[in-house]
């Protein structure tokens, strides 16, 4: 342990006598250093946390330092205590100095003339060095234990238990979806901090990049967060509680070692993960080809049964970051969901998309897990496994109608949209785009035509809504009719234009 005022005062050879403000907290506070100086203002050469020694010269001519200013400077810097030697330059500690130390709460010690300052300085220095050696030895021992733990069958769980034991604080692991991973024989997050920690973990995972952060937990503590895995392939977050004291270098080194070992452990499984992803994609092709029996048997042997009928098929995509790797960003999160509920969700990669299958009415946590990634795409209507190819087509077509306001579209919504919904199913929007090609990118003209049609071709109300003259409106509509080759004086031409505008909206 480092030296403190209590250990120095208990040493009989030092003959230290407390004169002011030596309370229990001051006695137990560790001393980072001890140094002597007779300068009237030694603070430019000092650091916080130490014991300053003087023989009283600052308060004698030619310095004549004012005790109030002298003590104020020491307190402002964070000096822990002041020791004054008597019987060499001053017969006793100045009364004004005792009064100022008591007023400002600075512990003041009288040092006997027989006590060499060097003895006190050496005692503090030796204790500090011994404490640093002890910390280093503890750190090396803890790192050896962590390294051995990594070789156990439950390597990741074992190193987390060793980390918690070595740091004497709580340690928690969160998966790629932000959910707690229960690790046996660890204390986990304190109940009062669970909500704060979960929110902080969610924020780190939402960045989708490898990151380390130190977060204040609503004034009740701090947590250090470190992602596991690489950018675009985050496997989870390690959370380490920081209570009462900051992490010293030894503790930080130990945490860094655990992060490195955990990351290596996870990366070593990347080859197996790649094979699993390719197998899932192969099963998806079997399902699309109607070979449901073989696909179902394969899935049952590896992951459990396929979701029960009736099913829905989701086809989702997310924006990839610049450093994203080959794995689709949704895959790690969906693996966590699937492991928690075997048979509730099947998923596989299909190019830049992920296809996920779930029972109608139970998405198995699919959309909650995908939400942090900002997915876009479509979801089929409720069908059976024999109609999987149809469901996949419906999901793709629904996804083609997704917008920023409605990033995920259900096919039911399209099918329930009347004639336009039917036209959408037959990809009539492509024909609609060709019909409107003569208008080019004239957004204003499209708006004029939509408003005019919404008013059933009535010139006055449409012109009033648009804020233009009726003659101007008629001129723009007639010009559009000529460019499109449509007779807008009759219902058929107006209906064709209306459908084309609606099918190409957004």
């Amino acid at each position: 342990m480092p030296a403190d005022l209590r250990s120095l005062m208990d040493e009989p050879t030092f003959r230290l006598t407390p004169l002011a403000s030596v309370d229990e907290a001051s006695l137990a506070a560790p001393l980072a250093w001890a140094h002597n100086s007779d300068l009237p203002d030694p603070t430019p050469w000092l650091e916080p946390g130490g014991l300053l020694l003087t023989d009283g010269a600052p308060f004698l001519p030619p310095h004549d330092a004012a005790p109030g200013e002298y003590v104020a400077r020491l307190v402002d810097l964070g000096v822990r205590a002041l020791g004054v030697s008597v019987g060499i330059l001053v017969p006793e500690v100045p009364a004004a100095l005792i009064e100022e130390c008591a007023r400002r709460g600075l512990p003041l010690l009288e040092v006997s003339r027989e006590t060499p300052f060097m003895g006190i300085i050496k005692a503090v220095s030796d204790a500090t060095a011994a404490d640093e050696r002890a910390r280093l030895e503890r750190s090396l021992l803890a790192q050896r234990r962590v390294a051995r733990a990594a070789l156990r069958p439950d390597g990741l769980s074992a190193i987390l238990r060793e980390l918690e034991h070595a740091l004497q604080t709580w340690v928690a692991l969160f998966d790629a979806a932000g959910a707690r991973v229960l690790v046996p024989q660890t204390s986990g997050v304190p109940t009062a901090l669970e909500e704060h920690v979960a929110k902080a973990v969610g924020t780190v995972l939402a960045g989708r990049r490898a990151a380390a952060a130190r977060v204040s937990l609503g004034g009740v503590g701090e947590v250090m967060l470190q992602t596991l895995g690489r950018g675009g392939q985050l496997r989870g977050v390690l959370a380490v509680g920081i209570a009462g004291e900051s992490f010293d270098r030894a503790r930080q080194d130990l945490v860094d070692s655990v992060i490195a070992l955990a990351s290596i452990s996870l990366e070593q499984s990347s080859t197996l993960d790649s094979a699993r992803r390719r197998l899932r994609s192969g099963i998806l092709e079997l399902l699309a080809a109607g070979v449901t029996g073989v696909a179902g048997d394969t899935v049952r042997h590896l992951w459990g049964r396929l979701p029960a009928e009736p099913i829905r098929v989701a086809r989702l995509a997310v924006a990839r970051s610049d450093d994203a790797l080959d794995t689709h960003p949704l895959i790690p999160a969906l693996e966590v969901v699937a492991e928690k509920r075997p048979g509730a969700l099947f998923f596989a990669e299909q190019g830049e998309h992920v296809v996920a299958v779930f029972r109608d009415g139970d998405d198995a946590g699919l959309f909650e897990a995908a939400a942090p990634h900002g997915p876009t795409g479509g979801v089929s209507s409720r069908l059976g496994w024999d109609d999987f190819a149809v469901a996949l087509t419906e999901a793709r077509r629904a996804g083609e109608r997704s917008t920023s306001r409605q990033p995920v579209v259900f096919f039911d919504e399209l099918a329930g949209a009347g004639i336009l919904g039917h036209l959408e199913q037959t990809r009539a929007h492509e024909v609609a785009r060709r019909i409107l090609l003569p208008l080019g990118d004239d957004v204003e003209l499209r708006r004029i035509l939509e408003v005019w049609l919404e008013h059933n071709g009535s010139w006055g109300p449409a012109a009033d809504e648009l804020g233009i003259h009726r003659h101007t409106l008629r001129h723009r509509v007639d010009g559009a009719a000529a460019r499109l080759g449509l007779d807008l004086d009759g219902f058929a031409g107006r209906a064709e234009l209306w459908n084309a505008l609606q099918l190409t909206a957004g």
Side-chain angles (χ1 to χ4, degrees), residues 396-412:
R396 176 174 53 80
R397 289 180 175 171
E400 290 171 352
R401 297 297 291 167
S402 66
T403 65
S404 57
R405 287 182 297 179
Q406 189 177 8
V408 178
V409 178
F410 280 71
F411 189 81
D412 308 66

Side-chain angles (χ1 to χ4, degrees), residues 163 172-174 200-201 204-205 209-215 223-230 234-240 252 255-260 262-263 266:
L163 180 63
L173 182 65
F174 293 80
V201 168
V204 171
L205 286 173
R209 294 178 179 271
R214 186 164 175 164
V215 182
V223 62
M224 183 169 62
L225 304 175
Q226 172 67 58
T227 56
L228 298 176
R230 294 174 287 177
L234 296 184
R235 305 299 185 88
V237 175
L238 176 66
V240 180
Q252 185 62 58
V255 172
D256 291 344
S257 297
V258 168
I259 294 299
S263 297
L266 292 172

Side-chain angles (χ1 to χ4, degrees), residues 87-441:
I88 300 176
L89 296 182
V90 294
E92 59 184 13
V93 178
L97 182 61
I98 298 175
E99 180 181 345
E100 286 297 329
C101 287
R103 188 174 69 85
R104 296 296 299 263
L106 178 67
L108 177 63
L109 303 176
E110 180 182 283
V111 184
S112 170
R113 65 171 295 164
E114 286 80 18
T115 303
F117 284 168
M118 185 54 66
I120 298 175
I121 293 171
K122 187 174 184 300
V124 173
S125 177
D126 289 348
T128 301
D131 183 65
E132 290 179 351
R133 284 195 301 272
R135 288 190 181 191
L136 178 59
E137 290 172 359
R138 289 195 300 270
S139 176
L140 292 175
L141 178 60
Q143 291 193 39
R144 285 196 293 269
R145 288 176 176 170
V146 165
R148 286 196 295 267
L151 301 177
R152 300 175 193 169
D154 62 338
L156 188 55
S157 297
I159 53 182
L160 294 182
R161 291 194 296 269
E162 287 293 344
L163 180 63
E164 186 174 86
H165 174 74
L167 298 183
Q168 293 297 298
T169 186
W170 61 266
V171 173
L173 182 65
F174 293 80
D175 60 31
R180 273 278 309 282
V181 177
L182 298 180
V183 179
Q185 302 174 13
T186 59
S187 58
V189 183
T191 304
L193 303 181
E194 284 182 350
E195 183 177 351
H196 297 289
V197 175
K199 183 178 179 180
V201 168
T203 301
V204 171
L205 286 173
R208 292 185 289 169
R209 294 178 179 271
R214 186 164 175 164
V215 182
S216 175
L217 302 176
V220 292
E222 287 185 296
V223 62
M224 183 169 62
L225 304 175
Q226 172 67 58
T227 56
L228 298 176
R230 294 174 287 177
Q233 284 187 311
L234 296 184
R235 305 299 185 88
V237 175
L238 176 66
V240 180
I242 304 175
E245 62 176 288
S246 60
F247 267 33
D248 55 28
R249 185 66 258 174
R251 290 185 172 208
Q252 185 62 58
D253 288 345
L254 180 58
V255 172
D256 291 344
S257 297
V258 168
I259 294 299
L261 288 171
S263 297
I264 291 172
S265 175
L266 292 172
E267 291 304 326
Q268 284 176 339
S269 66
S270 61
T271 301
L272 180 59
D273 290 343
S274 178
R276 253 197 315 260
R277 296 199 311 272
R278 289 195 295 270
L279 182 56
R280 285 184 181 275
S281 296
I283 292 172
L284 179 63
E285 292 181 7
L286 290 176
L287 292 171
V291 192
T292 309
V294 175
D297 290 341
T298 305
V299 170
R300 185 164 51 254
H301 288 307
L302 295 172
W303 301 294
R305 58 181 175 81
L306 288 169
E309 296 180 332
I311 60 170
R312 287 184 183 267
V313 175
R315 186 172 182 267
L316 305 175
V318 300
R320 291 181 181 250
S321 58
D322 293 338
D323 58 351
L325 300 177
D326 292 339
T327 303
H328 194 285
L330 286 181
I331 294 299
L334 297 188
E335 285 178 344
V336 172
V337 173
E339 286 177 5
K340 289 180 180 177
R341 295 186 58 191
L345 179 72
F346 173 77
F347 60 91
E349 293 172 82
Q350 187 184 59
E352 289 298 310
H353 293 77
V354 162
V355 174
V357 187
F358 55 92
R359 180 181 173 85
D360 179 49
D362 179 15
D363 68 11
L366 164 66
F367 295 109
E368 182 181 356
H373 301 272
T376 60
V379 182
S380 73
S381 61
R382 49 181 291 170
L383 294 167
W385 280 107
D386 290 340
D387 295 317
F388 181 81
V390 175
L392 192 57
T393 299
E394 289 184 353
R396 176 174 53 80
R397 289 180 175 171
E400 290 171 352
R401 297 297 291 167
S402 66
T403 65
S404 57
R405 287 182 297 179
Q406 189 177 8
V408 178
V409 178
F410 280 71
F411 189 81
D412 308 66
E413 299 169 2
L414 300 180
I419 294 298
L420 286 177
H422 174 72
L423 292 174
E424 175 60 32
Q425 295 174 44
T426 59
R427 301 184 65 82
H429 58 281
E430 295 179 357
V431 176
R433 289 192 186 98
R434 287 197 293 271
I435 291 174
L436 298 177
L437 274 178
L439 300 184
D441 297 327

